[in-house]
């Protein structure tokens, strides 16, 4: 699989766009389309070699990324040893690939769940088990629901956001009762992590990149999304590489555009799992005996692969039950 450089999409601050009339609890990145997340925002490959900081975040999480910076090497190894015991679910002294995959996916799920808990609490449901669309609209947009106070540009953008939210809400509401439970809200907030929400991820990607609204993404629309300076300066090497990726790997029918099926194959490929790929990489690098598994000693001997300058929130992990293992 060719390494993919995911674009960094610009966040638009609603408080500026809506002329300051929002008195609500809109999350900071509410206006940002959903996208399938890599295991870290850090580039996995750097010029000249592998980026170990990616492995640290993938293996340990990123919420308290500086915690290990304050630890001595001895303290870091001690904590890593405790973590290895957690990952070795059958206590046989070996960390297998399935156990490593399960751990990395647990770290991913924990981030999504904790993020949703934080947002859910902001709605002040006062013990209610679910939230209606009308309540969500009022709590999220507040006085912005009065479109008479908006200029034409703001009104159009508000409609786009409302339509996007409604589309997510309807798909997330799997029991069709017009409300979202917390579990459904997790999928509403992070549709990229729910298989039944895939069409939302594809639609939002198409809506955002398809600037001329012809229902498909051209190579220029694809490039300018990740490199806004297109046409203003000499094209860097990584952009040239992205053009090649578009032509060779994204545009499957070779018509010069990405349709919905090709967008799904790009942002949500069925044949690639980040957690599996990262688990295999970690085991390959640390497996001194080359038996396909990792002992505690092998992990500790390669501790810089698992923990380091972009340290961990793994201490937080111990606060939660780990029933997955």
């Amino acid at each position: 699989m060719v390494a993919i450089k995911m674009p960094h999409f610009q966040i638009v601050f609603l408080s500026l766009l809506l002329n300051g009339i929002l008195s609500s609890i809109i999350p900071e990145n509410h206006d940002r389309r959903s996208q399938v997340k890599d295991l870290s925002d850090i580039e996995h490959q750097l010029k000249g070699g592998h980026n170990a900081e990616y492995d640290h975040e993938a293996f340990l999480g990123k919420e308290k990324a500086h915690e290990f910076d304050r630890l001595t090497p001895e303290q870091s190894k001690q904590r890593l040893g405790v973590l290895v015991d957690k990952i070795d679910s059958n206590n046989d002294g070996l960390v297998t690939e399935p156990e490593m995959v399960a751990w990395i996916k647990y770290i991913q799920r924990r981030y999504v769940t904790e993020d949703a808990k934080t947002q859910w609490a902001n709605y002040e449901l006062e013990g209610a088990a679910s939230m209606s669309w009308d309540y969500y609209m009022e709590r999220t947009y507040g006085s912005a629901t009065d479109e008479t106070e908006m200029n034409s540009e703001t009104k159009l953008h508000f409609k786009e956001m409302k339509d996007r939210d409604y589309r997510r809400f309807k798909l997330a509401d799997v029991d069709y009762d017009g409300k979202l439970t917390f579990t459904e809200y997790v999928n509403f907030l992070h549709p990229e992590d729910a298989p039944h929400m895939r069409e939302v991820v594809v639609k939002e990607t198409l809506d955002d990149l398809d600037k001329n609204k012809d229902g498909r993404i051209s190579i220029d629309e694809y490039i300018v999304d990740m490199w806004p300076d297109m046409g203003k300066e000499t094209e860097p090497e990584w952009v040239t590489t992205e053009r090649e990726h578009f032509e060779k790997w994204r545009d499957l029918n070779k018509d010069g555009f990405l349709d919905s099926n090709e967008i799904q194959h790009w942002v949500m490929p069925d044949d690639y799992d980040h957690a599996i790929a990262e688990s295999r990489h970690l085991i390959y690098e640390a497996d001194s005996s080359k038996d396909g598994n990792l002992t505690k000693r092998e992990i500790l001997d390669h501790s810089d692969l698992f923990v380091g300058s972009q340290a961990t929130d793994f201490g937080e992990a111990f606060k939660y039950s780990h029933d997955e293992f």
Side-chain angles (χ1 to χ4, degrees):
M1 176 90 181
V2 174
I4 296 173
K5 178 181 176 61
M6 295 300 290
H8 300 286
F9 304 117
Q10 183 177 10
I11 299 174
V12 181
F13 291 95
L14 262 55
S15 59
L16 296 177
L17 191 60
L18 297 185
N19 300 323
I21 61 176
L22 291 181
S23 57
S24 61
I25 54 172
I26 298 176
E28 180 183 349
N29 65 344
H30 182 81
D31 190 42
R32 190 179 186 176
R33 73 174 175 268
S34 61
Q35 54 180 304
V36 178
K37 297 182 296 300
D38 202 339
L39 301 177
S40 170
D41 295 330
I42 298 172
E43 293 292 338
H44 201 175
Q45 300 292 335
L46 296 176
K47 290 183 179 179
H50 188 82
N51 186 1
E53 292 185 6
Y54 176 98
D55 297 324
H56 302 159
E57 289 199 359
F59 181 69
L60 298 159
K62 60 180 290 185
E63 294 88 348
K64 295 184 178 179
H66 300 293
E67 184 171 324
F68 265 64
D69 290 339
R70 299 190 295 268
L71 299 178
T72 66
E74 292 76 15
Q75 290 171 326
S76 294
K77 283 192 175 184
Q78 182 180 19
R79 290 197 179 187
L80 179 58
V82 175
L83 181 57
V84 172
D85 293 338
K86 294 282 184 179
I87 300 171
D88 179 17
S89 58
N90 62 2
N91 300 313
D92 66 350
L94 297 174
V95 172
T96 63
E97 181 182 313
E99 287 172 329
M100 186 70 77
V101 171
W103 172 258
I104 291 176
K105 289 190 173 183
Y106 165 71
I107 293 295
Q108 289 181 286
R109 286 194 304 272
R110 193 190 66 208
Y111 162 75
V112 167
T113 301
E114 290 306 302
D115 183 46
K117 283 181 180 178
T118 299
Q119 301 295 343
W120 184 261
N122 288 334
Y123 290 105
E124 298 179 346
L125 293 169
E126 298 180 352
S130 59
M131 172 171 54
S132 69
W133 168 251
D134 289 340
Y135 185 82
Y136 169 80
M137 281 290 294
E138 177 62 29
R139 290 291 300 171
T140 302
Y141 297 103
S143 60
T145 56
D146 183 3
E147 298 186 20
T148 62
E149 300 182 36
M150 302 179 188
N151 61 36
S152 57
E153 181 181 354
T154 298
K155 187 179 297 186
L156 175 61
H157 192 72
F158 173 71
K159 181 181 184 304
E160 291 173 349
M161 288 193 303
K162 186 170 63 174
D163 289 348
R164 177 173 294 191
D165 281 357
Y166 188 69
R167 187 165 57 233
R168 286 195 189 193
F169 196 100
K170 293 290 286 184
L171 275 178
D173 179 21
V174 292
D175 59 5
Y176 307 108
D177 67 349
K179 300 177 181 180
L180 296 185
T181 63
F182 175 74
T183 299
E184 292 171 331
Y185 178 73
V186 171
N187 295 330
F188 169 84
L189 193 62
H190 291 279
E192 67 277 2
D193 293 307
H196 69 284
M197 301 287 287
R198 283 191 168 197
E199 66 182 79
V200 162
V201 180
V202 173
K203 183 69 167 64
E204 291 179 7
T205 302
L206 178 60
D207 286 349
D208 283 0
L209 273 66
D210 178 22
K211 301 305 182 184
N212 64 4
K213 303 305 176 187
D214 65 350
R216 53 190 185 172
I217 298 173
S218 68
I219 189 168
D220 284 345
E221 288 170 332
Y222 172 85
I223 293 297
V224 77
D225 179 68
M226 62 184 73
W227 187 50
D229 293 327
M230 186 178 73
K232 300 177 183 178
E233 58 184 58
T234 303
E235 186 169 288
E237 183 180 348
W238 71 265
V239 174
T240 302
T241 300
E242 278 300 330
R243 287 188 182 277
E244 294 174 357
H245 286 172
F246 182 98
E247 295 169 353
K248 293 181 180 179
W249 304 99
R250 312 279 191 262
D251 181 16
L252 301 178
N253 62 8
K254 307 305 177 186
D255 67 349
F257 299 90
L258 301 186
D259 58 26
S260 294
N261 290 332
E262 290 167 327
I263 293 170
Q264 178 168 322
H265 188 270
W266 165 36
V267 299
M268 306 183 77
D270 292 324
D271 58 350
Y272 189 79
D273 186 304
H274 288 291
I276 293 175
E278 178 64 11
S279 296
R280 289 174 179 174
H281 162 68
L282 292 173
I283 292 174
Y284 176 82
E285 294 294 334
D287 183 17
S288 300
S289 65
K290 302 304 177 186
D291 65 350
N293 303 304
L294 294 181
T295 64
K296 190 175 194 177
R297 174 46 53 194
E298 286 174 326
I299 292 176
L300 294 179
D301 285 346
H302 296 84
S303 60
D304 57 342
L305 178 65
F306 298 90
V307 296
S309 58
Q310 270 297 329
T312 180
D313 62 352
F314 87 87
E316 287 290 306
F318 297 158
K319 294 181 181 179
Y320 307 100
S321 62
H322 193 43
D323 297 334
E324 293 88 339
F325 297 101

